[in-house]
Amino acid sequence: MKRDVFQAIADPTRRAILVLIAVQAMTPNAIAEHFPSSRQAISKHIHVLLECELLNQQQQGREIFYHLNPTKMQDVDNWLQQFRDLVEKRFTQLDDVLVKLKTEQK
């Protein structure tokens, strides 16, 4: 069963893994070194991120390196954009009210 991207990023460990991998491609062992969890637990988190296509994997010799898939992260960004637009609109409306009040006080 393919998971939703938002299910994947709901977990703080998986978000932390994404932050690590955004900086550079990493092996599962290198990722696991950053967490107090077991290597097996980190592998499960990586598996979820792979299912959601947030990560790509590349075999290099005996090692597997995981890379961030920026295309899938764009889906998250697109969803968040509607809230950024709404907040921006409200700040603009607030600015207009403040300017109007300041003008009326003079």
Side-chain angles (χ1 to χ4, degrees):
M1 179 178 102
K2 190 173 175 178
R3 295 175 196 245
D4 183 72
V5 169
F6 295 98
Q7 284 179 303
I9 62 172
D11 184 276
T13 301
R14 289 194 285 268
R15 287 195 306 268
I17 291 170
L18 289 173
V19 170
L20 282 173
I21 292 178
V23 175
Q24 67 179 31
M26 299 178 85
T27 64
N29 286 335
I31 296 167
E33 290 174 1
H34 293 272
F35 299 95
S37 310
S38 68
R39 163 79 166 73
Q40 187 177 18
I42 296 302
S43 289
K44 286 181 182 178
H45 286 299
I46 291 170
H47 181 75
V48 170
L49 294 169
L50 281 170
E51 276 183 352
C52 297
E53 300 173 354
L54 287 167
L55 298 182
N56 295 322
Q57 62 182 15
Q58 181 180 21
Q59 182 89 34
Q60 291 183 2
R62 295 177 54 177
E63 298 283 349
I64 296 175
F65 284 84
Y66 293 99
H67 305 261
L68 181 68
N69 180 359
T71 305
K72 270 299 190 184
M73 291 302 290
Q74 187 65 44
D75 293 346
V76 175
D77 187 55
N78 290 343
W79 185 79
L80 290 172
Q81 185 60 45
Q82 63 186 326
F83 297 101
R84 285 190 215 107
D85 292 345
L86 181 64
V87 169
E88 181 66 30
K89 182 179 175 183
R90 288 188 178 170
F91 275 120
T92 300
Q93 289 172 336
L94 179 61
D95 284 344
D96 293 344
V97 169
L98 291 173
V99 167
K100 184 178 177 183
L101 287 173
K102 218 174 189 178
T103 305
E104 289 174 359
Q105 286 179 349
K106 289 183 180 179

